[in-house]
Amino acid sequence: MDLALIWFVLIAVLWTGYLVLEGFDFGVGMLMGLLAKDNKERRVALNTIGPVWDGNEVWLLTAGGATFAAFPEWYATLFSGFYLPLLLILLALIVRAVAIEYRGKINDPKWRQRWDWAIIGSAWIPSILWGVAFANLVRGVPIEEVDGRLEYVGNFFDLLSPFALLGGLVTLALFLSHGAIFLALKTSGDFSKRAGDFAKKISVVALALAAVWAIWTQLAYSVAWTWAAVLVAALGLAAVAWFTRTESFGKAFVANAVVIVGAVVLIFGSMYPDVMPSSIDPQFSLTVDNASSTDYTLTVMTWVAVIMTPIVLAYQAWSYWVFRRRISTDNIPEHNELTFFKK
């Protein structure tokens, strides 16, 4: 196995980690507006992800950095072709970070309400757009040779095909399910019960949407061996629906993670040997070979990954262990933040 292929697989692994971990972050953000009845419950929801959400984003930064270093042509074409959706995702992530940090700085209902809407909106936008982006990578985008270089020649609306929009709905439903299960695991009392009841409903929706999209992907764009990934994802989706019904939320969370693993394998397996297929002519597709860096660059990256990855994984596992306990409204103190001076 050559280094370019190894890094293609490693980038898929990084995306898997990001979607599994950030998926429930986005789900919790969206559910703040659907499940939380008052300010204390919204604070409970935020506290479930408060210690880990920024660490989860490291997987995105690493996946982006690895793509830039290992496949510069892929990175350049992806960010120029998907400029608007990726810009919207980036802005949403920035707004979410600011909103989480600033929400509790001032004890004022209107102040908190504005930041709550910022958190909720910045969770919905990436949840949809990530699915749209990955569906387009599977389907192919308009790429052709321009002045000796392979470049994206479409526009934003070329990315909004029915297949891509369905992909956006799939990630939206999966993240909502992931977030609801996480809240059922990490909270207690009435809020936990409401999260569990919502998980029972949304898991069925996710099952239906994902089944249609996976079969469409397999029949239209994929290869024979990825039927295995479809089967794994299907069994995972069925398990999520079953375990939420029996209120075995720990098992449901693991099953949902398995679904995401199966989905990433299906996506990257469907793309290979391309990293960005051309919908105009296959000869214009960016491939693992023609988009990769030099062997020297890939070798240095491999040694850095071998040394640093265990350290990062150990630290992140430790942080999850430290903050493993459930949270309830009884754990939320009264406000002691600054207040606006009134004339």
Side-chain angles (χ1 to χ4, degrees), residues 61-127:
L61 298 174
T62 309
T67 305
F68 172 76
F71 299 98
E73 292 289 338
W74 182 13
Y75 183 91
T77 307
L78 178 67
F79 274 77
S80 61
F82 290 24
Y83 181 83
L84 184 55
L86 292 179
L87 175 64
L88 291 174
I89 290 172
L90 178 61
L91 289 175
L93 295 178
I94 293 171
V95 168
R96 186 182 67 146
V98 174
I100 290 174
E101 295 297 331
Y102 274 73
R103 180 191 185 276
K105 298 298 184 184
I106 294 178
N107 184 13
D108 180 76
K110 290 184 178 179
W111 171 273
R112 289 193 295 269
Q113 185 180 51
R114 293 188 187 103
W115 290 119
D116 284 343
W117 280 113
I119 293 170
I120 294 166
S122 60
W124 281 87
I125 292 171
S127 296

Side-chain angles (χ1 to χ4, degrees), residues 228-291:
V230 174
L231 178 61
V232 168
L235 292 174
L237 287 162
V240 172
W242 173 258
F243 288 136
T244 53
R245 293 287 174 189
T246 59
E247 298 188 353
S248 302
F249 294 112
K251 295 177 181 178
F253 187 84
V254 173
N256 219 48
V258 170
V259 172
I260 294 173
V261 172
V264 173
V265 172
L266 174 61
I267 290 167
F268 278 76
S270 301
M271 290 163 55
Y272 184 79
D274 299 331
V275 293
M276 206 163 177
S278 172
S279 59
I280 296 175
D281 192 323
Q283 70 173 334
F284 298 138
S285 296
L286 293 172
T287 68
V288 170
D289 292 328
N290 69 20

Side-chain angles (χ1 to χ4, degrees), residues 156-173:
F156 174 71
F157 295 102
D158 291 325
L159 304 176
L160 303 181
S161 66
F163 178 76
L165 294 175
L166 179 59
L169 292 178
V170 170
T171 49
L172 176 67

Side-chain angles (χ1 to χ4, degrees), residues 10-75:
L10 289 177
I11 288 170
V13 172
L14 291 170
W15 277 110
T16 302
Y18 173 70
L19 295 173
V20 168
L21 297 175
E22 192 80 316
F24 67 75
D25 286 346
F26 290 142
V28 169
M30 291 185 284
L31 292 172
M32 278 181 60
L34 297 175
L35 296 181
K37 290 183 176 180
D38 54 34
N39 177 54
K40 274 204 169 184
E41 288 191 346
R42 284 188 285 274
R43 290 173 69 188
V44 166
L46 277 180
N47 274 273
T48 62
I49 62 172
V52 297
W53 69 268
D54 47 356
N56 294 342
E57 285 194 354
V58 170
W59 290 81
L60 173 62
L61 298 174
T62 309
T67 305
F68 172 76
F71 299 98
E73 292 289 338
W74 182 13
Y75 183 91

Side-chain angles (χ1 to χ4, degrees), residues 131-149:
V132 172
F134 279 112
N136 274 291
L137 289 178
V138 171
R139 176 177 172 266
V141 292
I143 299 174
E144 64 180 2
E145 189 171 353
V146 179
D147 296 329
R149 297 176 61 87

